[in-house]
Amino acid sequence: MLSRMSPLKNPIVFLPSRPPTAVYPDRYQAAHYREQEFPPTATDRERIFYINLEGGFFSPAALMEMILPLGQAVRGGAYGSAALVVVSSDNGTIEFLEALAQKHELPIFLSNSPAAPLSEARPIGALTTAEMQTYGLIRTAGGQVTSSRLADLAGIEGNAAGNRLGALTQKGYLHRVPRSRREGDAFVDLLSAAEQAGAATSDFKPVPAASDEFSIPEDLREAMREVASIDGSLPREVLLRAWREFVDQHREVLDVESKEVRRMLKENDREGLAAYASRRNRERARQATARLKR
Amino acid sequence: MVNSTPPHRCHRGSCICDRYDLRITERCLVADLGFESNTTFADARAHPIVHAFENQRASEPIGTRTVGPAAGDLTVYRLGHGHDHRGATWHDEAENVVWLCAYGLHRSGEDDDAFPYFDELIRDGILLPTEDDYAALFDDRDQRFADTLYTDAQECLSRARSNPGVEEIAILGGEQSTAVVVNVVDTLEEIYVAFSVAHIDTSRLVMILGAFDVDAQFLDWELVDTFPTRTLRVDEQEICYRILHG
């Protein structure tokens, strides 16, 4: 019987991240966020990247830009030993992520709420039925097994158990800890291990939005998500509706800005108008340059 | 101000083509071409390679031969003029710009030949535009937008008033396609303004509506679901505002 003590040498590093509540029509904006939050640096510490998408309205291109390179890097080992958890309760987003993970063989764990335990995040991607069953058994067993333990649990030969564990490790869903022949290598579900160690917390600190960023209030976000899930809207339609709702809800603020803009138009103050329009240009320039460094 | 020097309009650092701008990176402008950093595109035309840049890239954003290996959307292309003027251009599809990134003279086999120089710039990571180049591009576009927005909007509105119930289209500030319909019922005038919000922020929204009616508050405009002559183009994230004049 495998000891309940974690075979990991160091505590798992839990890296929660939540994009600011906003509309993301631009994939470069998503790429910039991803590059800032998750620079591809490998360490000898096991890590969990936890991206909470709640509150963001992503175009399909932006969502793909946010998740695909990260999933590929996790699978390819660019981050060392890491697991990627994505949180979303939006049905459209979930289906999109499932298709993306399947097509590109991304080892992603999907959670439908930031309040849900890590061990309830379900694996998506290119998993066979047998691999799904194996993963379920590992979770049931506390998140860590040896091949002989799995053979007992699944009622299969030791070689077959080893093959299944090897496949799950290779695909990026399990972390393998080499140990002595007597003990046998341990195969660890990083999510279960982090939860047991109390490493995970949902106490996020979202990156603050720029003061003039196009953002969407939380209550409106909830309403928009409900609408999307009820009527099966396309993300583009949801995005457009979010835009409309946002502008409608901020009419008073925009009215104040409008007064100044109309004054400049009347006075033919073109420099002033250009300055008003270019308030976010330095940030936009930073984003444009960042994508050249991909 | 935008001028209309043929064959293409120039505005500050840009030569404005149908689908994109032609720009010169500051490093290339100063270090390779020997101009001051604030030189306009129109003035830089005096240089043969800039002239060739405009002639060859205005209708076709890429060339046939690359500088260095192909690199997907970061592929840099050769630009040639005469026997020995050589340039390196990059089509920045995301921002709709073709950049002239480097210039040199082709001296085959010599140390100062253009192509080893281009390769060196690529290796050093200084060939492509910098953050300052992009900031200048966005500032120039905002200035261009501000320069002609009001005139463009008022001309379009005037046409729409002359043809009630008919959709009139204008490009505002050189970038924002906008449709306008004016309906007149007795003494009431109803103005519909529809445009895409796919690539704009709220500052553009405020400016566009203001340009159509400088006396109306933002609150006077009503965000509506319909446009009189057709359905709104959801795929293009088009929205429509209406204002009523009594």
Side-chain angles (χ1 to χ4, degrees):
Chain A
M1 178 91 180
L2 187 71
S3 162
R4 275 292 178 191
M5 265 186 69
S6 172
L8 303 174
K9 287 179 183 169
N10 298 304
I12 295 172
V13 179
F14 185 70
L15 297 166
S17 172
R18 178 176 164 187
T21 298
V23 172
Y24 295 85
D26 182 356
R27 67 192 176 100
Y28 297 110
Q29 197 182 356
H32 179 66
Y33 175 82
R34 187 196 70 240
E35 285 161 4
Q36 275 200 325
E37 287 289 291
F38 305 105
T41 51
T43 77
D44 57 356
R45 297 279 297 273
E46 290 77 19
R47 294 186 286 183
I48 292 176
F49 299 133
Y50 187 95
I51 304 179
N52 183 359
L53 297 180
E54 299 287 82
F57 288 88
F58 295 84
S59 70
L63 189 55
M64 191 165 159
E65 189 63 52
M66 174 82 84
I67 301 298
L68 178 58
L70 197 53
Q72 288 172 326
V74 167
R75 190 190 60 204
Y79 292 102
S81 186
L84 173 59
V85 181
V86 181
V87 180
S88 176
S89 61
D90 177 69
N91 288 339
T93 302
I94 289 169
E95 284 191 27
F96 182 82
L97 288 172
E98 286 174 336
L100 192 71
Q102 176 76 32
K103 180 179 179 184
H104 296 279
E105 300 181 354
L106 307 177
I108 294 175
F109 296 90
L110 205 55
S111 175
N112 61 8
S113 167
L118 268 182
S119 59
E120 287 182 10
R122 63 185 175 90
I124 59 173
L127 286 167
T128 64
T129 306
E131 287 164 352
M132 283 294 281
Q133 289 170 346
T134 303
Y135 190 82
L137 287 171
I138 295 167
R139 283 241 173 118
T140 307
Q144 49 180 295
V145 295
T146 59
S147 56
S148 60
R149 171 69 175 145
L150 177 64
D152 287 344
L153 288 168
I156 57 178
E157 294 295 323
N159 282 347
N163 289 339
R164 288 192 191 180
L165 290 170
L168 282 169
T169 304
Q170 193 175 15
K171 288 182 178 182
Y173 296 92
L174 290 181
H175 174 59
R176 182 176 191 158
V177 182
R179 300 195 300 189
S180 68
R181 179 170 293 198
R182 185 181 59 79
E183 286 184 303
D185 288 353
F187 294 85
V188 179
D189 169 35
L190 290 181
L191 275 56
S192 300
E195 190 171 277
Q196 287 159 16
T201 170
S202 58
D203 183 20
F204 297 112
K205 291 180 179 167
V207 175
S211 60
D212 56 349
E213 184 175 4
F214 178 76
S215 59
I216 294 206
E218 197 75 6
D219 55 344
L220 174 59
R221 171 186 64 78
E222 286 294 333
M224 295 312 301
R225 198 173 59 212
E226 279 182 22
V227 169
S229 62
I230 289 167
D231 68 5
S233 305
L234 295 171
R236 190 178 294 150
E237 291 170 346
V238 176
L239 198 67
L240 180 56
R241 256 183 279 180
W243 214 101
R244 291 166 58 99
E245 293 283 346
F246 176 84
V247 171
D248 210 33
Q249 293 220 347
H250 291 76
R251 283 161 60 91
E252 284 74 18
V253 176
L254 296 174
D255 194 51
V256 173
E257 292 190 11
S258 168
K259 187 176 178 183
E260 180 64 8
V261 166
R262 286 181 288 115
R263 180 195 65 74
M264 291 189 280
L265 283 165
K266 282 179 183 173
E267 295 174 2
N268 198 22
D269 179 6
R270 295 172 179 175
E271 296 295 328
L273 286 168
Y276 168 73
S278 61
R279 290 175 300 175
R280 292 192 65 230
N281 281 359
R282 186 47 71 171
E283 175 56 25
R284 288 180 61 206
R286 265 195 289 274
Q287 291 173 9
T289 315
R291 69 184 158 77
L292 304 184
K293 294 170 184 164
R294 281 176 295 166
Chain B
M1 292 294 293
V2 175
N3 70 46
S4 298
T5 308
H8 294 95
R9 291 188 312 154
C10 286
H11 177 262
R12 296 190 170 202
S14 287
C15 174
I16 302 161
C17 307
D18 288 343
R19 291 169 291 147
Y20 46 80
D21 293 355
L22 302 180
R23 306 265 307 180
I24 306 168
T25 63
E26 185 178 359
R27 193 211 58 75
C28 175
L29 189 68
V30 175
D32 297 348
L33 302 178
F35 289 114
E36 296 291 326
S37 61
N38 59 354
T39 305
T40 64
F41 193 97
D43 289 341
R45 276 172 169 157
H47 197 287
I49 200 67
V50 178
H51 195 67
F53 180 42
E54 182 179 349
N55 282 341
Q56 295 180 36
R57 293 289 187 266
S59 55
E60 183 54 54
I62 61 173
T64 53
R65 302 174 71 187
T66 66
V67 172
D73 56 5
L74 295 180
T75 301
V76 177
Y77 289 90
R78 285 190 193 192
L79 176 72
H81 175 71
H83 182 65
D84 54 3
H85 294 285
R86 297 293 180 267
T89 69
W90 173 55
H91 183 203
D92 182 351
E93 292 186 64
E95 301 298 345
N96 290 321
V97 185
V98 179
W99 297 93
L100 177 61
C101 301
Y103 163 77
L105 291 170
H106 182 37
R107 305 274 189 245
S108 195
E110 294 184 19
D111 288 343
D112 60 350
D113 180 53
F115 294 111
Y117 173 57
F118 296 164
D119 290 340
E120 187 183 326
L121 294 173
I122 292 174
R123 270 200 311 276
D124 293 345
I126 54 174
L127 183 82
L128 295 177
T130 64
E131 187 178 314
D132 285 343
D133 287 320
Y134 278 109
L137 164 70
F138 299 144
D139 286 348
D140 282 2
R141 282 181 172 168
D142 286 338
Q143 188 64 60
R144 196 192 315 167
F145 188 73
D147 281 348
T148 64
L149 167 67
Y150 180 72
T151 307
D152 295 338
Q154 289 300 313
E155 282 179 357
C156 184
L157 183 58
S158 178
R159 279 188 278 120
R161 281 179 168 144
S162 301
N163 300 287
V166 176
E167 178 179 342
E168 297 290 341
I169 296 172
I171 305 294
L172 305 185
E175 66 181 54
Q176 184 70 43
S177 181
T178 304
V180 178
V181 169
V182 173
N183 285 334
V184 178
V185 181
D186 295 330
T187 57
L188 293 178
E189 182 190 61
E190 207 177 28
I191 301 172
Y192 289 85
V193 179
F195 49 90
S196 166
V197 294
H199 301 292
I200 68 172
D201 58 16
T202 50
S203 65
R204 284 283 198 274
L205 170 71
V206 167
M207 292 173 76
I208 290 168
L209 296 182
F212 278 100
D213 191 337
V214 291
D215 294 317
Q217 298 179 51
F218 186 82
L219 297 174
D220 294 335
W221 290 91
E222 182 188 3
L223 186 61
V224 294
D225 293 327
T226 57
F227 189 64
T229 55
R230 57 173 169 77
T231 55
L232 288 172
R233 296 178 179 121
V234 174
D235 279 359
E236 297 171 14
Q237 296 180 41
E238 188 180 41
I239 63 170
C240 181
Y241 274 88
R242 178 182 63 178
I243 193 166
L244 199 62
H245 290 149

